[in-house]
Amino acid sequence: MNSPTPQFVPSRLGIYEPIHQIGIWGENFKSNGNPNTSTSVIVEVDNKLENESETTSHEMLTASNTYEQEASKPIDKIQRRLAQNREAARKSRLRKKAYVQQLENSRLKLIQLEQELQRARQQGLYMGGVLEGSHIGFSGTVNSEDSVGIAAFEMEYGRWVDVQHRQICELRTTLNAHISDIELRILVESGIGHYFELFRMKSTVAKADVFYVISGVWKTSAERFFSWIGGFRPSELLKVLVPQLDPLTEQQILEVCNLKQSCQQAEDALSQGMEKLQETVSSTVAGGPVDEVSYIPQVATAMEKLEALVSFVNQADHLRQETLQQMSRILTTRQAARGLLALGEYFHRLRALSTLWATRPPEPSLP
Amino acid sequence: MEKVTSLASEKGLVLFSKSSCCMCYAVKILFQELGVTPMVHEIDQDPEGWEMEKALKRLGCNGPVPAIFIGGKLVGSTNEVMSLHLSGGLLPMLKPYQTLC
C-alpha cells in the first residue's frame, strides 16, 4: 500500500474521477485480501492506471487519503463505489444526451440555412431582371420560421416512411399467419391512421410553404411523376387496390364502382378549379401596363389569390382521406389488410424505381 | 339573416359563392358533372354581401363560401359536399333536382 502524501492536486477531467476512485478501492482490497468477486473488474482498471504518469498516482493518493478516512467496513466501500459508478454513468448519459441534442439542433439549423440560401439565390435570379432603384419591401425576406417548419417536416416524413415500411412488413407476415380478425383490425386501424397522420403533417407544412408541398420535392422522383395537387390521385389509389381484393361480393363491387365514379368526379372538379386558379393568377400577374416600373399592385393581388392554393392542397388530402375511409367501410377486415399491404407495397416499389432510375448506367454516347 | 334563409329556400339547390373564388368554381363544376344546376348567388357582387358572409359563418359554414343548401337546409361547404359525395349520400339528395337531358 502506497503511503499517502498530503498534497492537493486538482483533478483533471471529471469523467475520469470515478475510475481513479475504482483504482483506489482496488488497491485497498488487494491489501486487505478481500475475496469479493467484484474486485476483478476493478483490478483491471487499477492495472491500467498503474501504467499512467506520476501526477495521476498523486491524484489517486490524495483522493485515497480522503476516502480512507471515511470508510469503515469493506461492504460500505463496495456500496459507495457502486453508487459512485451509477452516478458517473448517469452524468455521462446526461452529457451524451445534451451533446446529441446540440447536434440535432445544429443539423436543423444547417438545413434551415441551406434552404434560406437556396431561396435567396432564387430570389437573386428573380431580382436580376428588375430595374435598379425600385425598393420592394417584401422581396428578399426569407421567413426563417417557414424554413424550420420545412426542416421539421422532412425529418418527420423520413420517420413516417420508416414506420410505413415496418407496418407493411408486419401486415405481410400477419396475413400469412392467419391470425384473428380482431388482431388484424388493430393493424388495419393503425395503417389507416398512419396515412391520416401524413395528411395532418402536410396540412401543417402547407401553411408554412404551400409551394413546397405541391412541388412534391419531399417525395422520390417516380412518386412525383404521379403527383396530383401535392400527393397521389385518389382514383389511382383505387386502381392499385381493387385488383388485390378479389373476391368481392356483388354488393361490394357495386359500392366500389360508385366510389370510383364519385372519386373521379370530385377529382375532375378540383383539377378544373386548379386550372381556374392558374388562369386567374396568370392574368393578374400579366395585367396592367408593362411600361410602368412598378408591378407591385399586380404581384400583391396575385399573392392574395395564391392563398387559395392552400385550400386546394387541403381539399385534395381530404379526398384521399375520404377515399381510404370509404374503402375501409366497404371492405372486410382481411380485405382491408390486403388493400393496405398492396398500397404500401406500391409506394415502396415506386421509391425503389426512383433509386434505380437515379443509379442507372449512363447511355453510351454516339460516335 | 333573413335574406340568406329566404334565398336558400327559393330553390331546391342553392349555392352561395364569390365570383373570384376558385374553390366555388370547382363545386360548380361538380354539380355540372352530376347533372344539376344550382341557383348561384355571388355574394361579392351583392350590396349586402358582407352581412350575408357573416350570416353564413354564423350558420356554421367554414368557407364561408361555397355554401350549399339542398331543400332549404344547409349541407355545408366543400368538405361536407365532398364527404357526402364519396359516401354516396349526395346523389340521392340531388335526384329531385336533376335536369333531364
Side-chain angles (χ1 to χ4, degrees):
Chain A
M1 179 104 169
N2 298 317
S3 50
T5 44
Q7 282 175 285
F8 176 71
V9 179
S11 63
R12 288 177 293 170
L13 301 167
I15 196 166
Y16 293 129
E17 272 169 354
I19 300 175
H20 291 175
Q21 289 158 9
I22 294 166
I24 297 152
W25 293 122
E27 277 184 287
N28 286 336
F29 272 101
K30 270 196 282 188
S31 57
N32 290 342
N34 196 305
N36 195 314
T37 47
S38 63
T39 55
S40 56
V41 175
I42 297 148
V43 166
E44 269 179 84
V45 178
D46 192 36
N47 288 334
K48 280 190 217 154
L49 287 169
E50 277 181 285
N51 297 328
E52 287 184 3
S53 63
E54 271 294 293
T55 344
T56 321
S57 57
H58 275 166
E59 285 177 43
M60 282 162 59
L61 295 173
T62 315
S64 162
N65 207 7
T66 332
Y67 286 107
E68 249 195 342
Q69 289 157 14
E70 292 170 16
S72 47
K73 287 186 241 172
I75 296 169
D76 271 359
K77 288 178 191 172
I78 298 170
Q79 283 179 336
R80 196 165 316 181
R81 189 179 350 106
L82 288 173
Q84 284 158 359
N85 284 0
R86 276 195 297 275
E87 185 56 35
R90 192 185 74 87
K91 281 184 184 161
S92 181
R93 276 194 299 273
L94 284 173
R95 269 191 294 265
K96 182 181 175 184
K97 196 175 170 188
Y99 178 63
V100 169
Q101 187 62 47
Q102 199 187 24
L103 277 179
E104 292 256 320
N105 289 344
S106 301
R107 188 171 162 266
L108 265 178
K109 183 83 187 161
L110 180 64
I111 294 171
Q112 176 193 332
L113 283 171
E114 279 176 343
Q115 284 174 350
E116 280 185 30
L117 188 63
Q118 198 186 22
R119 280 162 190 250
R121 279 212 193 100
Q122 282 173 355
Q123 290 190 343
L125 285 168
Y126 163 70
M127 289 304 288
V130 174
L131 293 168
E132 241 88 59
S134 48
H135 302 282
I136 299 155
F138 56 75
S139 72
T141 51
V142 175
N143 193 332
S144 56
E145 249 181 62
D146 290 351
S147 310
V148 173
I150 289 170
F153 174 81
E154 288 189 339
M155 267 175 63
E156 271 184 70
Y157 182 65
R159 272 179 282 203
W160 187 91
V161 171
D162 288 339
V163 173
Q164 175 79 336
H165 187 70
R166 261 208 314 269
Q167 285 185 344
I168 298 310
C169 293
E170 210 179 341
L171 272 171
R172 192 177 284 123
T173 43
T174 309
L175 279 167
N176 291 335
H178 307 291
I179 65 161
S180 75
D181 262 17
I182 299 165
E183 288 176 69
L184 200 54
R185 190 78 224 164
I186 296 168
L187 282 182
V188 167
E189 294 291 322
S190 72
I192 295 177
H194 195 54
Y195 282 106
F196 289 11
E197 182 59 38
L198 177 61
F199 301 144
R200 267 196 294 277
M201 283 160 57
K202 283 169 74 183
S203 172
T204 307
V205 78
K207 292 195 195 101
D209 186 353
V210 70
F211 283 124
Y212 172 78
V213 178
I214 278 206
S215 73
V217 72
W218 48 281
K219 293 190 285 186
T220 61
S221 41
E223 288 175 290
R224 223 175 297 143
F225 175 56
F226 294 100
S227 201
W228 174 79
I229 315 185
F232 57 84
R233 269 182 192 277
S235 55
E236 188 71 35
L237 184 159
L238 291 173
K239 275 195 215 120
V240 167
L241 283 189
V242 173
Q244 303 283 340
L245 303 172
D246 288 333
L248 291 170
T249 66
E250 284 288 317
Q251 177 65 21
Q252 284 179 324
I253 293 171
L254 180 66
E255 289 192 76
V256 168
C257 201
N258 288 339
L259 181 63
K260 263 191 188 171
Q261 192 178 35
S262 47
C263 216
Q264 192 62 59
Q265 286 164 336
E267 259 178 58
D268 288 344
L270 276 192
S271 294
Q272 291 197 49
M274 279 287 279
E275 273 178 41
K276 183 88 172 134
L277 183 59
Q278 273 190 331
E279 280 170 43
T280 313
V281 173
S282 175
S283 60
T284 306
V285 169
V290 290
D291 40 289
E292 299 267 314
V293 168
S294 178
Y295 49 76
I296 299 174
Q298 288 83 0
V299 174
T301 315
M303 283 250 311
E304 280 173 38
K305 297 197 185 287
L306 273 177
E307 299 284 338
L309 203 51
V310 179
S311 46
F312 272 96
V313 168
N314 286 337
Q315 196 54 233
D317 275 347
H318 178 68
L319 268 191
R320 292 171 190 120
Q321 185 159 319
E322 285 297 309
T323 307
L324 284 169
Q325 196 95 287
Q326 288 302 314
M327 281 307 274
S328 168
R329 182 187 62 82
I330 295 168
L331 301 172
T332 65
T333 305
R334 192 149 285 269
Q335 285 170 330
R338 288 220 307 275
L340 277 174
L341 173 59
L343 192 62
E345 181 61 20
Y346 176 67
F347 291 124
H348 178 69
R349 290 181 189 179
L350 279 183
R351 286 183 210 115
L353 177 60
S354 305
T355 311
L356 267 180
W357 182 261
T359 53
R360 76 194 189 284
E363 286 175 16
S365 48
L366 298 166
Chain B
M1 187 198 183
E2 270 185 36
K3 178 161 184 174
V4 166
T5 38
S6 67
L7 283 174
S9 334
E10 229 170 55
K11 279 277 165 80
L13 178 61
V14 178
L15 170 68
F16 290 93
S17 156
K18 279 187 191 169
S19 56
S20 59
C21 173
C22 293
M23 193 56 85
C24 299
Y25 180 79
V27 171
K28 287 173 194 163
I29 295 290
L30 180 64
F31 283 135
Q32 206 172 54
E33 281 192 47
L34 301 179
V36 289
T37 315
M39 182 82 190
V40 180
H41 299 287
E42 309 281 4
I43 66 172
D44 59 333
Q45 291 167 352
D46 195 301
E48 293 175 86
W50 181 229
E51 277 85 43
M52 292 169 82
E53 190 170 329
K54 282 196 290 186
L56 287 168
K57 278 192 198 149
R58 253 183 275 120
L59 284 169
C61 216
N62 47 7
V65 287
I68 297 96
F69 289 78
I70 302 179
K73 275 169 59 185
L74 175 67
V75 170
S77 193
T78 324
N79 259 13
E80 287 76 29
V81 168
M82 292 295 180
S83 300
L84 201 57
H85 189 42
L86 260 66
S87 68
L90 187 62
L91 272 176
M93 286 174 87
L94 293 176
K95 224 169 170 63
Y97 315 109
Q98 275 177 322
T99 48
L100 302 157
C101 309

PDB file of all heavy atoms in Angstrom, chain A residues 259 262 265-266 268-269 272 276-277 311 315 318 322-323 326, chain B residues 22-23 25-26 29-30 33-34 78-79 82-83 85-87:
ATOM      1  N   LEU A 259     -67.942   4.363 -55.749  1.00  0.00           N
ATOM      2  CA  LEU A 259     -66.861   5.149 -55.149  1.00  0.00           C
ATOM      3  C   LEU A 259     -65.888   5.621 -56.220  1.00  0.00           C
ATOM      4  O   LEU A 259     -65.462   6.772 -56.221  1.00  0.00           O
ATOM      5  CB  LEU A 259     -66.133   4.329 -54.079  1.00  0.00           C
ATOM      6  CG  LEU A 259     -64.983   5.040 -53.343  1.00  0.00           C
ATOM      7  CD1 LEU A 259     -65.490   6.247 -52.565  1.00  0.00           C
ATOM      8  CD2 LEU A 259     -64.275   4.084 -52.402  1.00  0.00           C
ATOM      9  N   SER A 262     -67.577   8.571 -58.111  1.00  0.00           N
ATOM     10  CA  SER A 262     -67.674   9.826 -57.355  1.00  0.00           C
ATOM     11  C   SER A 262     -66.281  10.396 -57.097  1.00  0.00           C
ATOM     12  O   SER A 262     -66.091  11.614 -57.089  1.00  0.00           O
ATOM     13  CB  SER A 262     -68.445   9.641 -56.058  1.00  0.00           C
ATOM     14  OG  SER A 262     -68.022   8.514 -55.361  1.00  0.00           O
ATOM     15  N   GLN A 265     -65.205  12.122 -60.288  1.00  0.00           N
ATOM     16  CA  GLN A 265     -65.935  13.382 -60.451  1.00  0.00           C
ATOM     17  C   GLN A 265     -65.363  14.469 -59.541  1.00  0.00           C
ATOM     18  O   GLN A 265     -65.159  15.613 -59.959  1.00  0.00           O
ATOM     19  CB  GLN A 265     -67.421  13.172 -60.162  1.00  0.00           C
ATOM     20  CG  GLN A 265     -68.146  12.418 -61.269  1.00  0.00           C
ATOM     21  CD  GLN A 265     -69.484  11.874 -60.827  1.00  0.00           C
ATOM     22  OE1 GLN A 265     -69.714  11.659 -59.637  1.00  0.00           O
ATOM     23  NE2 GLN A 265     -70.367  11.635 -61.780  1.00  0.00           N
ATOM     24  N   ALA A 266     -65.087  14.100 -58.295  1.00  0.00           N
ATOM     25  CA  ALA A 266     -64.529  15.058 -57.342  1.00  0.00           C
ATOM     26  C   ALA A 266     -63.142  15.518 -57.797  1.00  0.00           C
ATOM     27  O   ALA A 266     -62.806  16.704 -57.712  1.00  0.00           O
ATOM     28  CB  ALA A 266     -64.449  14.440 -55.950  1.00  0.00           C
ATOM     29  N   ASP A 268     -61.976  15.578 -60.895  1.00  0.00           N
ATOM     30  CA  ASP A 268     -62.129  16.449 -62.063  1.00  0.00           C
ATOM     31  C   ASP A 268     -62.496  17.859 -61.632  1.00  0.00           C
ATOM     32  O   ASP A 268     -61.969  18.839 -62.170  1.00  0.00           O
ATOM     33  CB  ASP A 268     -63.206  15.910 -63.008  1.00  0.00           C
ATOM     34  CG  ASP A 268     -62.753  14.653 -63.742  1.00  0.00           C
ATOM     35  OD1 ASP A 268     -61.521  14.388 -63.746  1.00  0.00           O
ATOM     36  OD2 ASP A 268     -63.604  13.930 -64.292  1.00  0.00           O
ATOM     37  N   ALA A 269     -63.421  17.950 -60.684  1.00  0.00           N
ATOM     38  CA  ALA A 269     -63.865  19.254 -60.212  1.00  0.00           C
ATOM     39  C   ALA A 269     -62.690  20.036 -59.617  1.00  0.00           C
ATOM     40  O   ALA A 269     -62.496  21.218 -59.918  1.00  0.00           O
ATOM     41  CB  ALA A 269     -64.975  19.102 -59.182  1.00  0.00           C
ATOM     42  N   GLN A 272     -60.178  21.159 -62.311  1.00  0.00           N
ATOM     43  CA  GLN A 272     -60.638  22.332 -63.061  1.00  0.00           C
ATOM     44  C   GLN A 272     -60.559  23.582 -62.196  1.00  0.00           C
ATOM     45  O   GLN A 272     -60.261  24.675 -62.699  1.00  0.00           O
ATOM     46  CB  GLN A 272     -62.060  22.107 -63.570  1.00  0.00           C
ATOM     47  CG  GLN A 272     -62.093  21.030 -64.654  1.00  0.00           C
ATOM     48  CD  GLN A 272     -63.366  21.056 -65.465  1.00  0.00           C
ATOM     49  OE1 GLN A 272     -63.795  22.101 -65.938  1.00  0.00           O
ATOM     50  NE2 GLN A 272     -63.987  19.891 -65.609  1.00  0.00           N
ATOM     51  N   LYS A 276     -58.451  26.952 -63.090  1.00  0.00           N
ATOM     52  CA  LYS A 276     -59.042  28.284 -62.981  1.00  0.00           C
ATOM     53  C   LYS A 276     -58.131  29.189 -62.141  1.00  0.00           C
ATOM     54  O   LYS A 276     -57.926  30.349 -62.456  1.00  0.00           O
ATOM     55  CB  LYS A 276     -60.425  28.165 -62.323  1.00  0.00           C
ATOM     56  CG  LYS A 276     -61.157  29.476 -62.216  1.00  0.00           C
ATOM     57  CD  LYS A 276     -61.958  29.748 -63.464  1.00  0.00           C
ATOM     58  CE  LYS A 276     -62.837  30.951 -63.251  1.00  0.00           C
ATOM     59  NZ  LYS A 276     -62.865  31.910 -64.269  1.00  0.00           N
ATOM     60  N   LEU A 277     -57.563  28.614 -61.080  1.00  0.00           N
ATOM     61  CA  LEU A 277     -56.676  29.388 -60.205  1.00  0.00           C
ATOM     62  C   LEU A 277     -55.432  29.820 -60.967  1.00  0.00           C
ATOM     63  O   LEU A 277     -54.971  30.950 -60.853  1.00  0.00           O
ATOM     64  CB  LEU A 277     -56.299  28.559 -58.978  1.00  0.00           C
ATOM     65  CG  LEU A 277     -55.426  29.245 -57.928  1.00  0.00           C
ATOM     66  CD1 LEU A 277     -56.117  30.490 -57.384  1.00  0.00           C
ATOM     67  CD2 LEU A 277     -55.118  28.295 -56.790  1.00  0.00           C
ATOM     68  N   SER A 311     -56.058  25.901 -49.683  1.00  0.00           N
ATOM     69  CA  SER A 311     -57.331  25.181 -49.550  1.00  0.00           C
ATOM     70  C   SER A 311     -57.440  24.055 -50.575  1.00  0.00           C
ATOM     71  O   SER A 311     -58.057  23.028 -50.290  1.00  0.00           O
ATOM     72  CB  SER A 311     -58.523  26.126 -49.652  1.00  0.00           C
ATOM     73  OG  SER A 311     -58.367  26.999 -50.727  1.00  0.00           O
ATOM     74  N   GLN A 315     -57.970  20.247 -49.593  1.00  0.00           N
ATOM     75  CA  GLN A 315     -59.128  19.542 -50.133  1.00  0.00           C
ATOM     76  C   GLN A 315     -58.702  18.259 -50.847  1.00  0.00           C
ATOM     77  O   GLN A 315     -59.387  17.243 -50.755  1.00  0.00           O
ATOM     78  CB  GLN A 315     -59.911  20.464 -51.090  1.00  0.00           C
ATOM     79  CG  GLN A 315     -61.304  19.988 -51.414  1.00  0.00           C
ATOM     80  CD  GLN A 315     -62.131  19.730 -50.163  1.00  0.00           C
ATOM     81  OE1 GLN A 315     -62.703  18.659 -49.990  1.00  0.00           O
ATOM     82  NE2 GLN A 315     -62.182  20.703 -49.271  1.00  0.00           N
ATOM     83  N   HIS A 318     -58.098  15.836 -48.266  1.00  0.00           N
ATOM     84  CA  HIS A 318     -59.399  15.438 -47.736  1.00  0.00           C
ATOM     85  C   HIS A 318     -59.996  14.334 -48.603  1.00  0.00           C
ATOM     86  O   HIS A 318     -60.543  13.346 -48.100  1.00  0.00           O
ATOM     87  CB  HIS A 318     -60.315  16.660 -47.676  1.00  0.00           C
ATOM     88  CG  HIS A 318     -61.694  16.370 -47.188  1.00  0.00           C
ATOM     89  ND1 HIS A 318     -61.967  15.993 -45.891  1.00  0.00           N
ATOM     90  CD2 HIS A 318     -62.888  16.400 -47.826  1.00  0.00           C
ATOM     91  CE1 HIS A 318     -63.253  15.788 -45.753  1.00  0.00           C
ATOM     92  NE2 HIS A 318     -63.848  16.036 -46.905  1.00  0.00           N
ATOM     93  N   GLU A 322     -60.935  10.597 -47.411  1.00  0.00           N
ATOM     94  CA  GLU A 322     -62.295  10.073 -47.558  1.00  0.00           C
ATOM     95  C   GLU A 322     -62.296   8.785 -48.364  1.00  0.00           C
ATOM     96  O   GLU A 322     -63.052   7.859 -48.064  1.00  0.00           O
ATOM     97  CB  GLU A 322     -63.202  11.107 -48.231  1.00  0.00           C
ATOM     98  CG  GLU A 322     -63.604  12.249 -47.325  1.00  0.00           C
ATOM     99  CD  GLU A 322     -64.436  11.800 -46.131  1.00  0.00           C
ATOM    100  OE1 GLU A 322     -65.441  11.085 -46.328  1.00  0.00           O
ATOM    101  OE2 GLU A 322     -64.059  12.134 -44.993  1.00  0.00           O
ATOM    102  N   THR A 323     -61.455   8.714 -49.398  1.00  0.00           N
ATOM    103  CA  THR A 323     -61.373   7.505 -50.221  1.00  0.00           C
ATOM    104  C   THR A 323     -60.921   6.323 -49.369  1.00  0.00           C
ATOM    105  O   THR A 323     -61.520   5.241 -49.427  1.00  0.00           O
ATOM    106  CB  THR A 323     -60.406   7.710 -51.406  1.00  0.00           C
ATOM    107  OG1 THR A 323     -60.778   8.886 -52.114  1.00  0.00           O
ATOM    108  CG2 THR A 323     -60.419   6.522 -52.341  1.00  0.00           C
ATOM    109  N   GLN A 326     -63.753   5.349 -46.956  1.00  0.00           N
ATOM    110  CA  GLN A 326     -64.850   4.633 -47.599  1.00  0.00           C
ATOM    111  C   GLN A 326     -64.458   3.198 -47.926  1.00  0.00           C
ATOM    112  O   GLN A 326     -65.239   2.267 -47.732  1.00  0.00           O
ATOM    113  CB  GLN A 326     -65.306   5.356 -48.875  1.00  0.00           C
ATOM    114  CG  GLN A 326     -66.072   6.642 -48.619  1.00  0.00           C
ATOM    115  CD  GLN A 326     -67.302   6.413 -47.768  1.00  0.00           C
ATOM    116  OE1 GLN A 326     -68.069   5.475 -48.019  1.00  0.00           O
ATOM    117  NE2 GLN A 326     -67.494   7.236 -46.768  1.00  0.00           N
TER     118      GLN A 326
ATOM    119  N   CYS B  22     -62.010  30.261 -56.557  1.00  0.00           N
ATOM    120  CA  CYS B  22     -61.778  29.111 -57.437  1.00  0.00           C
ATOM    121  C   CYS B  22     -62.319  27.817 -56.857  1.00  0.00           C
ATOM    122  O   CYS B  22     -62.676  26.896 -57.607  1.00  0.00           O
ATOM    123  CB  CYS B  22     -60.286  28.967 -57.728  1.00  0.00           C
ATOM    124  SG  CYS B  22     -59.655  30.331 -58.704  1.00  0.00           S
ATOM    125  N   MET B  23     -62.415  27.723 -55.530  1.00  0.00           N
ATOM    126  CA  MET B  23     -62.993  26.518 -54.915  1.00  0.00           C
ATOM    127  C   MET B  23     -64.491  26.487 -55.216  1.00  0.00           C
ATOM    128  O   MET B  23     -65.047  25.417 -55.449  1.00  0.00           O
ATOM    129  CB  MET B  23     -62.729  26.529 -53.404  1.00  0.00           C
ATOM    130  CG  MET B  23     -63.002  25.206 -52.725  1.00  0.00           C
ATOM    131  SD  MET B  23     -62.101  23.805 -53.414  1.00  0.00           S
ATOM    132  CE  MET B  23     -60.543  23.934 -52.544  1.00  0.00           C
ATOM    133  N   TYR B  25     -65.801  27.667 -57.864  1.00  0.00           N
ATOM    134  CA  TYR B  25     -65.819  27.238 -59.257  1.00  0.00           C
ATOM    135  C   TYR B  25     -65.745  25.717 -59.340  1.00  0.00           C
ATOM    136  O   TYR B  25     -66.482  25.090 -60.107  1.00  0.00           O
ATOM    137  CB  TYR B  25     -64.647  27.881 -60.013  1.00  0.00           C
ATOM    138  CG  TYR B  25     -64.562  27.501 -61.464  1.00  0.00           C
ATOM    139  CD1 TYR B  25     -65.395  28.101 -62.412  1.00  0.00           C
ATOM    140  CD2 TYR B  25     -63.652  26.544 -61.905  1.00  0.00           C
ATOM    141  CE1 TYR B  25     -65.316  27.760 -63.750  1.00  0.00           C
ATOM    142  CE2 TYR B  25     -63.567  26.192 -63.233  1.00  0.00           C
ATOM    143  CZ  TYR B  25     -64.400  26.802 -64.161  1.00  0.00           C
ATOM    144  OH  TYR B  25     -64.313  26.450 -65.475  1.00  0.00           O
ATOM    145  N   ALA B  26     -64.881  25.099 -58.543  1.00  0.00           N
ATOM    146  CA  ALA B  26     -64.734  23.638 -58.533  1.00  0.00           C
ATOM    147  C   ALA B  26     -66.051  22.964 -58.151  1.00  0.00           C
ATOM    148  O   ALA B  26     -66.455  21.967 -58.755  1.00  0.00           O
ATOM    149  CB  ALA B  26     -63.629  23.220 -57.561  1.00  0.00           C
ATOM    150  N   ILE B  29     -68.497  23.080 -60.968  1.00  0.00           N
ATOM    151  CA  ILE B  29     -68.144  22.057 -61.963  1.00  0.00           C
ATOM    152  C   ILE B  29     -68.675  20.699 -61.530  1.00  0.00           C
ATOM    153  O   ILE B  29     -69.209  19.927 -62.338  1.00  0.00           O
ATOM    154  CB  ILE B  29     -66.619  21.984 -62.162  1.00  0.00           C
ATOM    155  CG1 ILE B  29     -66.077  23.281 -62.773  1.00  0.00           C
ATOM    156  CG2 ILE B  29     -66.219  20.794 -63.015  1.00  0.00           C
ATOM    157  CD1 ILE B  29     -66.469  23.514 -64.218  1.00  0.00           C
ATOM    158  N   LEU B  30     -68.545  20.404 -60.229  1.00  0.00           N
ATOM    159  CA  LEU B  30     -69.016  19.120 -59.698  1.00  0.00           C
ATOM    160  C   LEU B  30     -70.517  18.970 -59.931  1.00  0.00           C
ATOM    161  O   LEU B  30     -70.987  17.932 -60.394  1.00  0.00           O
ATOM    162  CB  LEU B  30     -68.683  18.995 -58.208  1.00  0.00           C
ATOM    163  CG  LEU B  30     -69.133  17.687 -57.546  1.00  0.00           C
ATOM    164  CD1 LEU B  30     -68.408  16.497 -58.151  1.00  0.00           C
ATOM    165  CD2 LEU B  30     -68.895  17.726 -56.038  1.00  0.00           C
ATOM    166  N   GLU B  33     -71.263  18.209 -63.479  1.00  0.00           N
ATOM    167  CA  GLU B  33     -70.996  16.798 -63.783  1.00  0.00           C
ATOM    168  C   GLU B  33     -72.115  15.899 -63.279  1.00  0.00           C
ATOM    169  O   GLU B  33     -72.374  14.846 -63.850  1.00  0.00           O
ATOM    170  CB  GLU B  33     -69.677  16.356 -63.144  1.00  0.00           C
ATOM    171  CG  GLU B  33     -68.448  16.793 -63.919  1.00  0.00           C
ATOM    172  CD  GLU B  33     -67.189  16.104 -63.428  1.00  0.00           C
ATOM    173  OE1 GLU B  33     -67.201  14.875 -63.241  1.00  0.00           O
ATOM    174  OE2 GLU B  33     -66.188  16.828 -63.229  1.00  0.00           O
ATOM    175  N   LEU B  34     -72.756  16.319 -62.174  1.00  0.00           N
ATOM    176  CA  LEU B  34     -73.816  15.494 -61.601  1.00  0.00           C
ATOM    177  C   LEU B  34     -75.180  15.785 -62.225  1.00  0.00           C
ATOM    178  O   LEU B  34     -76.188  15.223 -61.812  1.00  0.00           O
ATOM    179  CB  LEU B  34     -73.877  15.693 -60.078  1.00  0.00           C
ATOM    180  CG  LEU B  34     -72.607  15.349 -59.314  1.00  0.00           C
ATOM    181  CD1 LEU B  34     -72.776  15.598 -57.820  1.00  0.00           C
ATOM    182  CD2 LEU B  34     -72.201  13.898 -59.550  1.00  0.00           C
ATOM    183  N   THR B  78     -67.224  22.968 -49.000  1.00  0.00           N
ATOM    184  CA  THR B  78     -66.600  21.975 -49.878  1.00  0.00           C
ATOM    185  C   THR B  78     -66.376  20.644 -49.171  1.00  0.00           C
ATOM    186  O   THR B  78     -66.694  19.586 -49.716  1.00  0.00           O
ATOM    187  CB  THR B  78     -65.248  22.488 -50.410  1.00  0.00           C
ATOM    188  OG1 THR B  78     -65.319  23.879 -50.653  1.00  0.00           O
ATOM    189  CG2 THR B  78     -64.858  21.758 -51.664  1.00  0.00           C
ATOM    190  N   ASN B  79     -65.822  20.697 -47.946  1.00  0.00           N
ATOM    191  CA  ASN B  79     -65.533  19.481 -47.176  1.00  0.00           C
ATOM    192  C   ASN B  79     -66.740  18.566 -47.069  1.00  0.00           C
ATOM    193  O   ASN B  79     -66.672  17.375 -47.358  1.00  0.00           O
ATOM    194  CB  ASN B  79     -65.076  19.866 -45.770  1.00  0.00           C
ATOM    195  CG  ASN B  79     -63.566  19.789 -45.631  1.00  0.00           C
ATOM    196  OD1 ASN B  79     -62.846  19.676 -46.606  1.00  0.00           O
ATOM    197  ND2 ASN B  79     -63.099  19.840 -44.398  1.00  0.00           N
ATOM    198  N   MET B  82     -67.958  17.108 -50.458  1.00  0.00           N
ATOM    199  CA  MET B  82     -67.071  16.048 -50.945  1.00  0.00           C
ATOM    200  C   MET B  82     -67.255  14.760 -50.157  1.00  0.00           C
ATOM    201  O   MET B  82     -67.332  13.674 -50.726  1.00  0.00           O
ATOM    202  CB  MET B  82     -65.603  16.511 -50.874  1.00  0.00           C
ATOM    203  CG  MET B  82     -65.265  17.634 -51.850  1.00  0.00           C
ATOM    204  SD  MET B  82     -65.393  17.107 -53.573  1.00  0.00           S
ATOM    205  CE  MET B  82     -64.937  18.609 -54.423  1.00  0.00           C
ATOM    206  N   SER B  83     -67.310  14.890 -48.819  1.00  0.00           N
ATOM    207  CA  SER B  83     -67.506  13.698 -47.978  1.00  0.00           C
ATOM    208  C   SER B  83     -68.810  13.018 -48.330  1.00  0.00           C
ATOM    209  O   SER B  83     -68.866  11.792 -48.482  1.00  0.00           O
ATOM    210  CB  SER B  83     -67.533  14.083 -46.495  1.00  0.00           C
ATOM    211  OG  SER B  83     -66.340  14.702 -46.112  1.00  0.00           O
ATOM    212  N   HIS B  85     -70.486  13.186 -51.102  1.00  0.00           N
ATOM    213  CA  HIS B  85     -70.458  12.589 -52.439  1.00  0.00           C
ATOM    214  C   HIS B  85     -69.729  11.257 -52.421  1.00  0.00           C
ATOM    215  O   HIS B  85     -70.226  10.273 -52.989  1.00  0.00           O
ATOM    216  CB  HIS B  85     -69.808  13.538 -53.443  1.00  0.00           C
ATOM    217  CG  HIS B  85     -69.939  13.075 -54.864  1.00  0.00           C
ATOM    218  ND1 HIS B  85     -71.102  12.549 -55.358  1.00  0.00           N
ATOM    219  CD2 HIS B  85     -69.048  13.056 -55.881  1.00  0.00           C
ATOM    220  CE1 HIS B  85     -70.941  12.219 -56.630  1.00  0.00           C
ATOM    221  NE2 HIS B  85     -69.697  12.512 -56.969  1.00  0.00           N
ATOM    222  N   LEU B  86     -68.588  11.177 -51.756  1.00  0.00           N
ATOM    223  CA  LEU B  86     -67.811   9.936 -51.731  1.00  0.00           C
ATOM    224  C   LEU B  86     -68.507   8.846 -50.947  1.00  0.00           C
ATOM    225  O   LEU B  86     -68.307   7.657 -51.199  1.00  0.00           O
ATOM    226  CB  LEU B  86     -66.404  10.190 -51.184  1.00  0.00           C
ATOM    227  CG  LEU B  86     -65.336  10.309 -52.287  1.00  0.00           C
ATOM    228  CD1 LEU B  86     -65.565  11.529 -53.140  1.00  0.00           C
ATOM    229  CD2 LEU B  86     -63.947  10.351 -51.679  1.00  0.00           C
ATOM    230  N   SER B  87     -69.326   9.243 -49.982  1.00  0.00           N
ATOM    231  CA  SER B  87     -70.053   8.218 -49.216  1.00  0.00           C
ATOM    232  C   SER B  87     -71.319   7.781 -49.930  1.00  0.00           C
ATOM    233  O   SER B  87     -72.022   6.886 -49.475  1.00  0.00           O
ATOM    234  CB  SER B  87     -70.390   8.760 -47.830  1.00  0.00           C
ATOM    235  OG  SER B  87     -71.345   9.794 -47.945  1.00  0.00           O
TER     236      SER B  87
END
